[in-house]
Amino acid sequence: MPGSKTAHDVLNPTPEYLAFWRERHVCTLTTPRPDGSPHVVPVGVTYDPEAGLARVISNRHSKKIRNVLAAPDATARVAVCQMEGRRWATLEGHAVIRTDEASVAEAVARYAERYGRTPSPNPDRVVMEITLDRAMGRG
């Protein structure tokens, strides 16, 4: 049915769905606040279906990072989404915050590839790594 949501395999998305995630789009990230209400912000997201991950780079002091760290076991259920016209895509999963140099460098490199620019150095940069378990949309 046109307009209905379509489930996708996070590890084996259709070529169209993956191509949509490789285009340059501003996305939204939804994290749960400590009171359970949703916190939605614009972000850049990269999708790595081979690893089953989505990544968001950020400053360690941002609210979105603090929301994940405040969750039980410092992991939170989150969603990232993008849209353009009638096309949309959402990835969901559990997020953790990675601070090690290798994880941050990998996330920055993937961001630079998708968005066509390398972010300036930031000693407070961390990466939100989302282990994906759901993908849906119309790519």
Side-chain angles (χ1 to χ4, degrees):
M1 167 185 215
S4 65
K5 73 179 180 181
T6 304
H8 294 269
D9 180 343
V10 296
L11 299 175
N12 190 25
T14 65
E16 297 80 15
Y17 191 77
L18 184 56
F20 186 41
W21 275 106
R22 296 223 163 114
E23 294 173 10
R24 188 176 191 275
H25 294 284
V26 173
C27 304
T28 61
L29 166 70
T30 304
T31 58
R33 292 184 181 103
D35 69 3
S37 64
H39 175 72
V40 183
V41 293
V43 294
V45 175
T46 61
Y47 175 29
D48 179 359
E50 293 82 16
L53 298 174
R55 295 177 180 92
V56 176
I57 56 176
S58 184
N59 185 299
R60 73 177 65 246
H61 304 293
S62 72
K63 179 65 174 162
K64 60 187 160 284
I65 300 302
R66 292 193 325 263
N67 284 343
V68 171
L69 292 173
D73 299 323
T75 182
R77 183 137 186 96
V78 303
V80 291
C81 182
Q82 66 180 23
M83 60 181 278
E84 179 184 60
R86 295 179 58 94
R87 297 186 307 158
W88 63 276
T90 299
L91 299 169
E92 296 179 23
H94 287 89
V96 296
I97 307 307
R98 304 272 186 228
T99 59
D100 64 281
E101 191 175 312
S103 294
V104 173
E106 174 76 11
V108 168
R110 287 177 179 274
Y111 179 96
E113 182 180 335
R114 181 175 188 198
Y115 290 98
R117 71 172 194 82
T118 300
S120 27
N122 178 351
D124 288 328
R125 181 168 289 127
V126 297
V127 59
M128 181 182 298
E129 192 176 270
I130 306 163
T131 300
L132 301 170
D133 58 28
R134 183 177 294 164
M136 53 190 163
R138 290 183 34 168

